[in-house]
Amino acid sequence: MDTIDRRRFLGMMGASAAALTAAPALSACGAGFGGGSSAGGGSAADEVTGAFDWKRAQGKTIKALLNKHPYTDALIADLKAFSEQTGIQVKYDVFPEDNYFDKLTVDLSSGRASYDVFMLGAYMVWQYGPPGWLEDLGPWMRNTAATSAEWDPGDFFPNLLQADQWSLKYGTPLGQGGQYALPWGWETNVVAYNTEVFGKLGLKPAETLDELIEMAATIKRKAPGAGFDGMYGVAVRGSRSWATIHPGFMTMYSRYGLKDFVMEGGKLKPAMNDPRAVEFTRKWADMVKNGGAPSWTSYTWYQCSSDLGAKKAAMLFDADSAAYFQAIKGASPASGKIAFHPGPKGPDGSLATNMWVWSLGMNAKSENKTAAWLFLQWATGKEHLRKAALEGNHIDPVRKSISQDAAYKDKMKDLQGFLDTFEAVADQTKIQFTPQTQFFDATTSWAAALQEIYGGKDAAGVLNGLAKDLAPKVAG
Amino acid sequence: MAALTETEAAAEAAPAPGRPDAPRRVPRWRRSLRPYLLIVPALLLTGGILYPFGLGLYYTIFDFSATKPQPDMVGLENYLTIVKQDAFWRSALVTVMYAVGATAVETVLGVGVALLLNRGTRLGRTLEKVLILPLMIAPVIAAIMWKLMLQPSVGVINYLLRPFGLGGVQWTDTPTGALLSSIMVDVWVYTPFVAILALAGLRSLPRSPFEAAAVDGAGRWFTFRRLTLPMLWPYVLVAVIFRFMDSLKVFDIIYALTEGGPGDSTVVLQIRAYLEAIRFQRYSFGISYMIILWAVVYLASMVLVRYLARAQRRAAEVSQ
């Protein structure tokens, strides 16, 4: 009988292992390493014909990935209405914001269709759009067989719809190209303040950045003597994350007419080391040092918001919703004593404001696109959003009709200055960043630079280093 | 008596054919195959480890990222770009400082705790049970717990330090403070690991050398330096190897405590790789960082393992 020789056996095993290893590796090479692209070949929306029908995808089940948020709570509370209207079931996973985007990024980059729809911010379109992970919703919106006449895209604030629309080309402005998500909830970045401490110290909201800086330091110095033990002046985000740059910092940066990048010779060039930008950044870091939270470098919106509610911070320069959740009745020790103000103007009186848009998008790999589109339509439609604004805490309506709704205004009227502030900044609120795919790297590095300046390093040196590091990455 | 040949010995040992307790003869082909079947699990395990590693290594020669799903082959360019970056060398330095600092403190404290517990008092036996508690907590949870305790205004640490005039320490707000705080959390979590290994080592040491030293009138310090430490050293080294390799790969403790800040002061190589691969979606670049980190860990562990072999030989000489 032919016995198995040890060398022969090991040789066979080695060859098998090599074959097993090489096959997927080679296929990965040819197939483009997973991910894939949706480019080419029209839209699935074209397959939807006939009259519009909410029951078109009856019996289907879609899966949603959601971030833990009061807006999400309002959506989940109303999901039964969607299922009754369409016959579609929605399964969902909810993750806290700390993990949410990592989960979504990994999931989309895997090229699977584990979630048909998901929440995302407009900035994520710059990251998820170019690899072809997001369905272009434009063809769906334009197809009258797929879209209800009542959905009314003209009712959205135009800057919000444009925020999710991009050509996928470095540095080109928003509002052109595909519609990669739909606005669902948004936030303007304004100043919220504690009326009690302002009253005791005889203060009025700051109209310029210099006033704000001085006021923050004054409050930190005087508030404990006025009965507000441990209170500091102004809460702004400070963690080493992109999220530190986009609210108060970018809003005030834009009001000073400053840019993150400029286009030169068809290439993006970092502009955060412009002398005026350096001066502004130094001022911002000084404001935090003299009037901000003691452990600012770890501050996310959760800490900023809760400090305002706990009467630890006299002011919050962040999303209006972050203050709203503390201001509503019974929500925090400071509720009933929180007022809203547009915040300092720029040197030329600018109220340019950066915004965050919670949007809803569709996975380009979804196998339930018709059902997913019906869900997106319903979730961004007038009926659900009105209910979410009135019965839930889905404030800052993305639809003009809801912002003008008497019932909505009545609900918000007790929040001092909220509606006036909203109306003062709404038209000047837009995404102030330059759209480009390296957004998260650029803003995370920018936040790290801000921390270094706060720690005492020379602002010009740090920002020059940042610009040098970013230049090749964003050159396109 | 003349020595039996192998065949004769086998025949003598085997029961006579036809007897009921005679074992069934296993066919020769099955006997030949058995060793190969036995190594199949090991081969599968090795393949399971080598396959993703090889695939990762393969990806590093492309410029694969979210914005470039159809990548070009770039050879060693990713590695060259990385080693030319200041950020890489800053991260490498922070990684080494963290690993050396954490391992050194844990070793000294761990051995100290083990020596105290080895006395066999009732208090020692109780403390042994308490000692293992930090190891039962996930490091990321420990880091979050410490993050709360180190909060300058509401954290318990500053509250306890206040009577001594030290209530305003900004634990993680300065580059040095953030690194030291991260090391402190690592020490809190892993010192018990070193202590448990060292304690096991202490209890397995032979008694005779100590009895001989006692008869000769050797002092405590002399006994510790010339007997306990050399014989214990291999056990301590095993702990050092584990802790050093783990500390070089640290992610959870630092990320939960400081997110790599302030600035880039606590961005160790593992965090840099995570940011590149997951946050910024430059996959090939991120994996290249990981491969470099793997090479560093591999070389460091090789050196330590060789040293361990020498230490074991020395310990054997001392114990004789």
Side-chain angles (χ1 to χ4, degrees), chain B residues 134-145:
Chain B
L135 283 174
M136 293 174 174
I137 297 172
V140 69
I141 303 294
I144 292 169
M145 191 177 82

Side-chain angles (χ1 to χ4, degrees), chain B residues 8-311:
Chain B
E8 286 164 345
E12 196 166 278
R19 274 169 47 183
D21 56 345
R24 281 181 57 200
R25 191 171 174 79
V26 179
R28 192 173 165 202
W29 69 269
R30 274 179 62 185
R31 270 186 287 147
S32 307
L33 193 60
R34 193 178 291 155
Y36 299 110
L37 286 175
L38 289 172
I39 64 162
V40 167
L43 281 174
L44 286 175
L45 195 66
T46 311
I49 293 166
L50 288 181
Y51 176 76
F53 182 81
L55 203 59
L57 201 62
Y58 174 74
Y59 277 12
T60 62
I61 57 170
F62 291 87
D63 58 353
F64 177 33
S65 70
T67 52
K68 204 154 184 198
Q70 300 291 339
D72 297 322
M73 191 179 273
V74 295
L76 296 177
E77 200 180 297
N78 286 323
Y79 295 104
L80 292 174
T81 309
I82 286 173
V83 295
K84 280 181 196 162
Q85 283 181 338
D86 292 346
F88 165 74
W89 292 106
R90 278 203 304 271
S91 288
L93 181 66
V94 173
T95 308
V96 170
M97 281 163 64
Y98 181 89
V100 170
T103 310
V105 177
E106 283 158 21
T107 306
V108 172
L109 284 180
V111 171
V113 169
L115 287 169
L116 287 174
L117 294 179
N118 194 39
R119 295 184 167 193
T121 60
R122 187 177 294 174
L123 179 66
R125 282 195 293 275
T126 311
L127 286 178
E128 263 180 57
K129 292 174 183 76
V130 176
L131 193 66
I132 206 161
L133 286 178
L135 283 174
M136 293 174 174
I137 297 172
V140 69
I141 303 294
I144 292 169
M145 191 177 82
W146 275 93
K147 188 176 180 173
L148 293 173
M149 295 200 300
L150 293 173
Q151 282 278 331
S153 49
V154 295
V156 68
I157 304 290
N158 274 8
Y159 175 78
L160 294 173
L161 289 174
R162 213 160 285 155
F164 306 100
L166 296 168
V169 181
Q170 303 287 314
W171 290 97
T172 55
D173 269 6
T174 63
T176 312
L179 184 61
L180 290 178
S181 300
S182 307
I183 291 175
M184 185 170 71
V185 177
D186 199 296
V187 166
W188 184 82
V189 176
Y190 291 111
T191 296
F193 171 77
V194 181
I196 287 166
L197 279 188
L199 191 59
L202 278 172
R203 288 181 180 163
S204 66
L205 297 185
R207 283 178 158 223
S208 52
F210 294 98
E211 286 164 358
V215 169
D216 290 346
R220 275 188 182 181
W221 174 240
F222 182 87
T223 309
F224 174 73
R225 206 160 52 91
R226 292 296 176 90
L227 291 179
T228 313
L229 204 53
M231 286 195 287
L232 184 64
W233 196 232
Y235 297 93
V236 176
L237 261 183
V238 169
V240 167
I241 291 169
F242 276 114
R243 286 310 311 135
F244 190 64
M245 282 163 61
D246 263 357
S247 305
L248 284 173
K249 298 182 294 176
V250 67
F251 176 85
D252 41 14
I253 287 177
I254 295 185
Y255 199 75
L257 196 69
T258 68
E259 274 185 72
D264 272 359
S265 61
T266 52
V267 178
V268 287
L269 286 170
Q270 188 90 295
I271 291 181
R272 183 81 61 192
Y274 160 78
L275 291 174
E276 289 291 346
I278 306 293
R279 282 282 161 92
F280 311 148
Q281 296 178 293
R282 295 191 283 256
Y283 309 124
S284 291
F285 215 64
I287 300 168
S288 303
Y289 259 104
M290 291 308 304
I291 296 292
I292 292 174
L293 179 59
W294 167 80
V296 171
V297 174
Y298 184 78
L299 288 174
S301 56
M302 242 172 54
V303 171
L304 284 170
V305 167
R306 279 193 185 171
Y307 181 58
L308 173 66
R310 279 217 305 272

Side-chain angles (χ1 to χ4, degrees), chain A residues 2 9 47 76 128 163 183 203 209 225 230 233 241 312 321-322 335 359 425 438 441 449 465:
Chain A
D2 191 20
F9 176 82
E47 291 162 21
I76 291 170
Y128 302 156
L203 302 170
L209 179 62
S241 157
K312 279 180 64 193
S321 60
S335 62
S359 308
V425 301
Q438 303 303 317
D441 187 0

Side-chain angles (χ1 to χ4, degrees), chain A residues 126-147:
Chain A
W126 311 344
Q127 189 181 21
Y128 302 156
W133 299 341
L134 300 176
E135 176 79 1
D136 179 3
L137 303 174
W140 293 90
M141 289 163 67
R142 289 189 290 272
N143 184 347
T144 52
T147 305

